[in-house]
Amino acid sequence: MVAVIIVISLILGLSENILTKSLMMLLLIMFLIYSTYSMIFLKTFYYKIEEGMLSIESFFRFTNKYIKLENIEFFTERITLLNHSGIAGMLSKRFSIGKGYIKGLGKVDMYITSSKKTIFFGTKNGNYAVSPADMSGFSALLKKNGIKEEFVTRDVLEKDIQESEDRLKHFFLLNAVIVLILIEVPIALHYLDQLPEYVSISQLDTSMLSYVPAKVYVDSTISYGIMAFLLAVVAYILSRVYSKIDKIYYYRVMLIPLVITFLMLLNLANTLIPIFL
């Protein structure tokens, strides 16, 4: 969190471009909201077993998981070592909240906050991982409810791999389409003489309006579009590298350029819509 805030703050301090500043401010706000959500979740979530139900609950009720004990097919205690569970597992190998990949199990919904041991358990519909404070007591409750203790091999399915591959390609193509819109719309308007001689590059605050010649605006938009596409290419390559760490959710790396290009599209609309009102 500190590293991201420092980077964004440096960009805000060094950049003189209103578009870059706007994008960084939006990214900072989104990041702070997500970080706040994550911290509240981590501070309030807990596990419990009662009345034939294993519950994973937190302050955010919409994230709660309720699993009937009769649907749990197996469980196993293992030393917490998350080599293939994404960035969190790669960095700490001990903690992970969210979806990830565990060799031998495949997809796993992970709620792991212990650096010592983790309980993995599975149903027909999915696998889960928890790290209760009272590990032995939790295991005893599972056994008491007739759940066998063993490690069932459930490696990642071919359809899961293909689904991730398709999502990566779809995100990349969607990003390319947005970039084309960012570039082609100003070009078309310029050559159709639909743009005014001078274009305002900021409609966020009337006290900060800045006007540039239409040709300069179009050229700058093209430059930003090209940079956005190059960022998507870099993200695509990084996602391929990241797939060696997370075989299932590596496509999420493509969300970074997708969010940025979407914000740029909003900025384009913010600039052009007032011209035609």
Side-chain angles (χ1 to χ4, degrees):
M1 287 175 60
V2 172
V4 172
I5 291 174
I6 289 175
V7 170
I8 293 178
S9 299
L10 286 173
I11 296 174
L12 282 171
L14 297 175
S15 176
E16 297 295 333
N17 185 277
I18 188 65
L19 173 59
T20 302
K21 285 181 174 291
S22 299
L23 291 176
M24 288 301 105
M25 282 301 299
L26 286 171
L27 286 175
L28 181 60
I29 292 170
M30 292 169 62
F31 176 75
L32 289 175
I33 291 173
Y34 178 75
S35 299
T36 303
Y37 159 79
S38 299
M39 292 184 69
I40 294 175
F41 178 84
L42 286 171
K43 287 292 186 180
T44 61
F45 95 99
Y46 60 93
Y47 333 102
K48 66 179 180 180
I49 296 177
E50 62 182 19
E51 298 180 357
M53 189 77 70
L54 191 157
S55 304
I56 303 172
E57 303 182 20
S58 74
F59 175 82
F60 302 105
R61 299 302 179 190
F62 60 87
T63 66
N64 290 356
K65 295 278 187 180
Y66 301 102
I67 303 134
K68 291 183 179 180
L69 294 177
E70 63 186 37
N71 293 334
I72 300 177
E73 298 180 337
F74 70 92
F75 83 94
T76 181
E77 289 186 25
R78 307 192 88 188
I79 295 174
T80 305
L81 189 60
L82 309 173
N83 293 317
H84 299 277
S85 65
I87 292 176
M90 179 183 69
L91 295 176
S92 70
K93 301 190 186 302
R94 298 291 184 177
F95 310 97
S96 185
I97 301 293
K99 296 182 180 295
Y101 167 80
I102 295 294
K103 188 174 182 179
L105 277 179
K107 285 184 175 181
V108 179
D109 286 351
M110 294 187 282
Y111 301 88
I112 304 172
T113 58
S114 170
S115 62
K116 297 178 180 179
K117 271 193 173 184
T118 297
I119 290 180
F120 292 93
F121 63 92
T123 67
K124 287 183 178 180
N125 298 321
N127 302 306
Y128 303 85
V130 297
S131 54
D134 184 5
M135 188 73 63
S136 58
F138 204 86
S139 295
L141 278 175
L142 293 176
K143 290 178 181 178
K144 183 178 179 181
N145 283 274
I147 302 170
K148 56 186 177 182
E149 182 176 4
E150 63 177 340
F151 187 82
V152 176
T153 300
R154 291 177 161 185
D155 210 354
V156 62
L157 300 176
E158 186 62 33
K159 71 178 184 67
D160 293 330
I161 295 176
Q162 188 58 48
E163 180 183 354
S164 298
E165 181 69 17
D166 291 341
R167 288 190 178 185
L168 176 63
K169 292 177 181 178
H170 291 160
F171 284 168
F172 182 80
L173 288 174
L174 179 58
N175 191 89
V177 169
I178 295 177
V179 169
L180 281 175
I181 294 173
L182 285 169
I183 293 176
E184 293 297 332
V185 169
I187 291 176
L189 292 175
H190 180 60
Y191 283 99
L192 291 172
D193 293 325
Q194 295 298 308
L195 290 179
E197 185 178 355
Y198 288 90
V199 178
S200 170
I201 60 173
S202 174
Q203 297 288 339
L204 299 177
D205 186 345
T206 54
S207 66
M208 297 175 60
L209 289 179
S210 178
Y211 291 88
V212 297
K215 183 65 168 62
V216 174
Y217 169 72
V218 172
D219 289 343
S220 64
T221 304
I222 293 172
S223 299
Y224 278 112
I226 292 173
M227 286 190 290
F229 182 74
L230 292 176
L231 176 62
V233 172
V234 171
Y236 186 88
I237 295 171
L238 289 175
S239 67
R240 291 296 185 190
V241 176
Y242 184 47
S243 66
K244 300 182 184 301
I245 299 168
D246 190 336
K247 291 185 178 181
I248 300 297
Y249 299 103
Y250 61 90
Y251 63 84
R252 291 175 177 173
V253 176
M254 280 303 300
L255 289 173
I256 298 173
L258 193 58
V259 168
I260 292 175
T261 51
F262 181 72
L263 293 175
M264 292 175 69
L265 186 63
L266 290 179
N267 186 76
L268 178 71
N270 182 66
T271 300
L272 296 181
I273 288 177
I275 293 175
F276 300 98
L277 292 180

